Amino acid sequence: MTLLPVSDYLGDSAALCDAVVRLRGPALVAELGRIASAVMTSPHGQFLPAGGMGAAVPAVPFPRDTPALLQEISFDGHCFGHYSVAGRSLYNDADRRHLASLASLTAGVLQVHSLAQRSTHAFAQVEALLAQQTQILDQLHESVLTMDLTGYITSWNKGAERLFGYTSVEAVGRNILFLYDDEDTAFHDAFLEQGGRLMEVRRRKKSGEIFWASLSLSPLQDLDDKPIGLIAYLTDITERKLAEERLHHLAYYDSLTSLPNRTLLAKLVDQALSVAQRSKMLGCVLFIDLNRFKLINDTLGRRIGDELLRQVSLRFRKVLRDQDLVARLGGDEFAVGLFDIGQHFEASMVAQKLLASLVQPFLIEGHDLRVGASIGISVYPQDGQDAETLLRLADIAMYRAKQDSGGEAESVAFYSQDMNLGMQARMRLETGLRQALSEQQLLLHYQPKYALGSGRIIGAEALVRWHHPQHGMIPPAEFIPLAESTGLVVQVGEWVLEAACAQAQAWKLAGLPPIRLAVNVSAREFTSALPARVAATLARYGLEAAWLELEITESTLMHNIERVIGIMDRITALGVALSLDDFGTGYSSLSYLKRFPIDTLKIDRSFTTGIPTDASDCAIASTIISIAQQLHHKVIAEGVETAEQLAFLKSSGCDEVQGYLFSRPLPAGEFERVLRENWGV
């Protein structure tokens, strides 16, 4: 047999492939039989499919004694059928090989086509499954989204569209952080590898609305179980959170005043006591009961009484610090917790502020209402170690205060009797000092300052004295610290400046030349308003600046140096001299000292006392004098009481002195006499 030309073989192969791809059933069987007949140049050719090929064409029997060839069509152990050809007079081995080659080609094409069909079917099934899953996800009320390990969104269901307002086109491809509400945007966490973390978070919608969501994260893994991202499930829980907040407010806050109630106060006090214990600070609880409230409530009705309680709570909150706790316990009872304090008497100062806040009448619906209060104080740790104990003991102290005052007058009592006595004495002194300011019980004494070179009086320090109508002269050591702790030092300082300038005016009118009167200025007074007040006072009394000197303590300079220097510059611009008092007792830097526009450094009496026997005091005094000389400042020593002290200071180069060796502080008239004698006028 002659082999077919290559072009014919390729054409038949193409026809075979085309038939397998396009045809099905009997048409495919017939075409494959035709191709076999053509390839083998035989009158008869058949394709006899195996079971499952769906053959509908029966095998045609060949005439008896007719030569025929039969070839199995198989691939990798799978039989697709047989080729059968007949009608030629003779078939040789080449024909058999040729038919076998055709069968092999046919089996390969049928195998590839079968695989392609199965793949197409599987792909169609996957597509259908994905479409079903997408429909299921879209029907879920819960929002579901996926993201890669860096937080970029890879899928976004309809629930997410409804929840956030962004379509999948707008969301997919963006980083999840664009939905956050100013939270910690750190994305990586342990749950990235483990998943299953459940959180309550705040998120932002497309409209800008912020809402609460329950967020569950699960890992998204590939076929090798390696993490490739996260699946996030979110549900809007805003309504639940709002309900929880309402319940929390009802459980822990007073509905009338919005202050914490007793339950919350106890929790907060116990927490604060733990902190106070670690920092070794004191803690105080104040129990406050309003006086005359029941009468107002019974007479004018509950509506007026409720409004009065609201206004009282606002006044209490206004006079307390942010870190202080204030609560309404019920009825007309309030409580305050103080924990950032160093001394127990500070609680009595707060109590006085609370009482002072009630002094002004309450104007409610045309009624001019006045209430006072009785306050009991318990102190941690000596009175109690927990909130309930401190509240109970403060309540007992409040009843003691109410009994002592007859239930009408404002009163304060500590639970501890010793503290109570000390507090009462302190309060009496404070009340007396306030009266002293208004009833002209304060006066000035003047201690002369002497120039060591000439022995002449060159000035005086104006020192405040308190002449109590019942107790006589009260030492400054008793009332000046009280004035500083209560803030009355500002009013005392204003009075001293006014009184000193008034006295200077009297001496000026009496014909005395200017003598520099030194007035002490406290740190509380040293504000930006001081220069204008000094200028206004000098102008009011018609005084030249040469009559006045301001003494400031070193502690005044320890905070906000630039602000202090600015105030000092404005004072010296008036011509008023500045003296730095108590130099060496504070912590001011020498680098700043050269910038201060001062005239005089004052050696504190604590250094003068040991001169000349104490080597350290001598060294300190000599150093201060040397520093003053280098900076071209005058130096004055206070507290000079012995000739030995005077000799040492004079030999060391000190310019001026004051102390009992020369003169004690003198009343104005006596000082004028001493001054005239010294000046010879």
Side-chain angles (χ1 to χ4, degrees), residues 79-358:
C79 179
F80 293 96
H82 293 78
Y83 275 128
S84 175
V85 294
R88 284 174 44 190
S89 59
L90 179 67
Y91 292 100
N92 58 24
D93 290 340
D95 292 325
R96 292 185 180 88
R97 288 195 298 273
H98 197 178
L99 184 60
S101 178
L102 176 63
S104 177
L105 175 62
T106 303
V109 173
L110 288 173
Q111 176 69 13
V112 170
H113 183 256
S114 176
L115 291 175
Q117 281 186 312
R118 288 201 297 271
S119 297
T120 301
H121 181 67
F123 182 74
Q125 288 181 319
V126 169
E127 280 191 323
L129 181 61
L130 288 176
Q132 291 174 3
Q133 291 177 342
T134 300
Q135 290 182 43
I136 293 171
L137 287 176
D138 286 341
Q139 293 302 315
L140 289 176
H141 178 71
E142 190 176 46
S143 64
V144 182
L145 59 98
T146 60
M147 64 193 97
D148 63 20
L149 292 176
T150 60
Y152 285 91
I153 298 169
T154 54
S155 71
W156 184 266
N157 78 334
K158 294 291 184 182
E161 289 187 1
R162 290 189 295 268
L163 179 61
F164 288 96
Y166 292 98
T167 66
S168 61
V169 174
E170 293 173 309
V172 172
R174 298 180 68 177
N175 194 284
I176 193 70
L177 299 182
F178 86 100
L179 301 173
Y180 280 39
D181 171 44
D182 301 328
E183 294 182 354
D184 180 8
T185 54
F187 185 76
H188 289 281
D189 208 342
F191 67 80
L192 287 178
E193 290 76 29
Q194 301 167 5
R197 177 166 172 173
L198 184 64
M199 298 172 283
E200 291 183 353
V201 296
R202 287 165 60 87
R203 292 292 182 261
R204 185 189 304 275
K205 296 185 179 183
K206 184 177 182 180
S207 64
E209 176 188 350
I210 305 300
F211 68 99
W212 280 99
S214 173
L215 170 63
S216 175
L217 291 168
S218 299
L220 184 63
Q221 298 172 329
D222 62 12
L223 296 177
D224 296 325
D225 293 332
K226 293 181 180 179
I228 58 173
L230 288 170
I231 307 171
Y233 307 89
L234 293 103
T235 304
D236 191 336
I237 59 169
T238 304
E239 287 299 322
R240 195 198 80 196
K241 293 293 290 185
L242 292 176
E244 289 176 355
E245 290 176 5
R246 287 193 292 269
L247 289 174
H248 181 272
H249 196 274
L250 289 173
Y252 291 109
Y253 288 87
D254 173 53
S255 60
L256 178 63
T257 63
S258 294
L259 293 177
N261 60 16
R262 189 185 188 104
T263 303
L264 181 56
L265 176 72
K267 290 178 178 291
L268 296 176
V269 167
D270 283 332
Q271 292 174 7
L273 290 179
S274 300
V275 177
Q277 183 181 28
R278 291 194 297 270
S279 58
K280 301 187 183 304
M281 296 290 288
L282 294 178
C284 293
V285 171
L286 284 65
F287 196 105
I288 307 161
D289 183 80
L290 299 182
N291 299 335
R292 301 183 294 278
F293 174 77
K294 187 176 186 302
L295 176 63
I296 295 171
N297 199 51
D298 292 345
T299 304
L300 300 178
R302 183 173 179 177
R303 188 179 73 258
I304 301 295
D306 286 350
E307 180 59 26
L308 177 59
L309 290 173
R310 277 191 289 268
Q311 293 194 23
V312 167
S313 69
L314 292 175
R315 290 195 186 182
F316 283 172
R317 183 71 269 174
K318 188 174 182 180
V319 299
L320 293 170
R321 303 170 302 175
D322 290 340
Q323 63 265 40
D324 298 333
L325 301 175
V326 57
R328 182 184 176 220
L329 304 180
D332 61 349
E333 295 177 339
F334 295 82
V336 170
L338 307 172
F339 302 98
D340 188 16
I341 58 175
Q343 299 291 334
H344 71 271
F345 67 79
E346 295 177 27
S348 65
M349 295 166 52
V350 174
Q352 291 300 313
K353 288 183 178 180
L354 294 170
L355 293 177
S357 72
L358 302 176

Side-chain angles (χ1 to χ4, degrees), residues 22 33 44 58 102 113 180-181 200 268 272 317 321 420 468 497 547 569 581 622 624 629 631 669:
R22 290 189 303 104
H44 304 289
L102 176 63
H113 183 256
Y180 280 39
D181 171 44
E200 291 183 353
L268 296 176
R317 183 71 269 174
R321 303 170 302 175
N420 203 34
H468 195 279
L497 178 62
W547 283 93
D569 287 337
D581 197 5
S622 298
I624 293 174
Q629 290 172 343
L631 297 175

Side-chain angles (χ1 to χ4, degrees), residues 38-91:
V39 169
M40 297 302 296
T41 61
S42 297
H44 304 289
Q46 297 184 78
F47 170 65
L48 306 175
M53 287 291 292
V57 179
V60 178
F62 300 138
R64 181 176 293 181
D65 299 329
T66 300
L69 288 178
L70 184 68
Q71 178 63 47
E72 182 183 58
I73 304 169
S74 62
F75 185 91
D76 199 18
H78 177 70
C79 179
F80 293 96
H82 293 78
Y83 275 128
S84 175
V85 294
R88 284 174 44 190
S89 59
L90 179 67
Y91 292 100

Side-chain angles (χ1 to χ4, degrees), residues 405-671:
S405 66
E408 290 296 326
E410 289 73 15
S411 55
V412 181
F414 278 93
Y415 177 76
S416 167
Q417 191 61 31
D418 292 340
M419 291 183 184
N420 203 34
L421 292 174
M423 181 270 300
Q424 290 175 357
R426 184 182 178 86
M427 287 175 59
R428 284 195 296 270
L429 192 62
E430 181 182 346
T431 302
L433 183 55
R434 293 182 187 277
Q435 292 176 345
L437 283 164
S438 61
E439 297 177 5
Q440 304 300 314
Q441 297 176 15
L442 300 182
L443 65 154
L444 289 181
H445 283 186
Y446 301 86
Q447 185 170 36
K449 296 181 179 181
Y450 290 84
L452 283 180
S454 63
R456 286 174 59 85
I457 296 175
I458 45 83
E461 182 177 1
L463 300 169
V464 65
R465 297 292 184 262
W466 179 8
H467 189 271
H468 195 279
Q470 283 83 38
H471 304 294
M473 220 38 115
I474 297 180
E478 291 188 19
F479 71 87
I480 292 299
L482 174 66
E484 290 177 344
S485 65
T486 60
L488 286 173
V489 69
V490 175
Q491 294 170 258
V492 172
E494 291 174 351
W495 181 90
V496 170
L497 178 62
E498 197 77 19
C501 288
Q503 182 60 63
Q505 182 191 48
W507 284 331
K508 178 180 178 180
L509 295 176
L512 288 176
I515 179 171
R516 199 175 296 280
L517 299 180
V519 172
N520 289 285
V521 177
S522 70
R524 286 178 180 252
E525 288 182 271
F526 204 80
T527 67
S528 57
L530 180 62
R533 181 160 63 86
V534 170
T537 306
L538 290 174
R540 186 161 55 253
Y541 289 100
L543 295 175
E544 296 80 10
W547 283 93
L548 185 62
E549 179 181 34
L550 299 183
E551 288 192 2
I552 57 176
T553 59
E554 191 174 5
S555 60
T556 305
L557 312 176
M558 292 175 61
H559 305 286
N560 202 336
I561 294 294
E562 298 302 327
R563 182 186 68 87
V564 168
I565 293 176
I567 296 172
M568 295 171 77
D569 287 337
R570 290 169 59 196
I571 293 172
T572 55
L574 300 174
V576 175
L578 287 174
S579 173
L580 186 56
D581 197 5
D582 300 339
F583 182 70
T585 62
Y587 303 94
S588 59
S589 169
L590 293 179
S591 64
Y592 287 122
L593 182 61
K594 65 182 181 180
R595 297 178 56 195
F596 296 143
I598 58 176
D599 298 278
T600 307
L601 290 181
K602 197 169 193 178
I603 301 175
D604 186 69
R605 67 176 62 252
S606 62
F607 302 131
T608 307
T609 302
I611 295 172
T613 56
D614 189 302
S616 297
D617 285 347
C618 291
I620 292 172
S622 298
T623 301
I624 293 174
I625 293 170
S626 176
I627 291 172
Q629 290 172 343
Q630 294 294 322
L631 297 175
H632 306 290
H633 298 326
K634 290 182 293 184
V635 61
I636 182 172
E638 64 178 358
V640 179
E641 298 180 353
T642 68
E644 291 78 13
Q645 292 171 345
L646 177 64
F648 176 85
L649 292 168
K650 191 171 184 177
S651 65
S652 299
C654 185
D655 300 299
E656 303 168 5
V657 292
Q658 68 181 97
Y660 276 46
L661 179 63
F662 296 90
S663 175
R664 60 180 175 82
L666 303 170
E670 194 172 341
F671 173 78

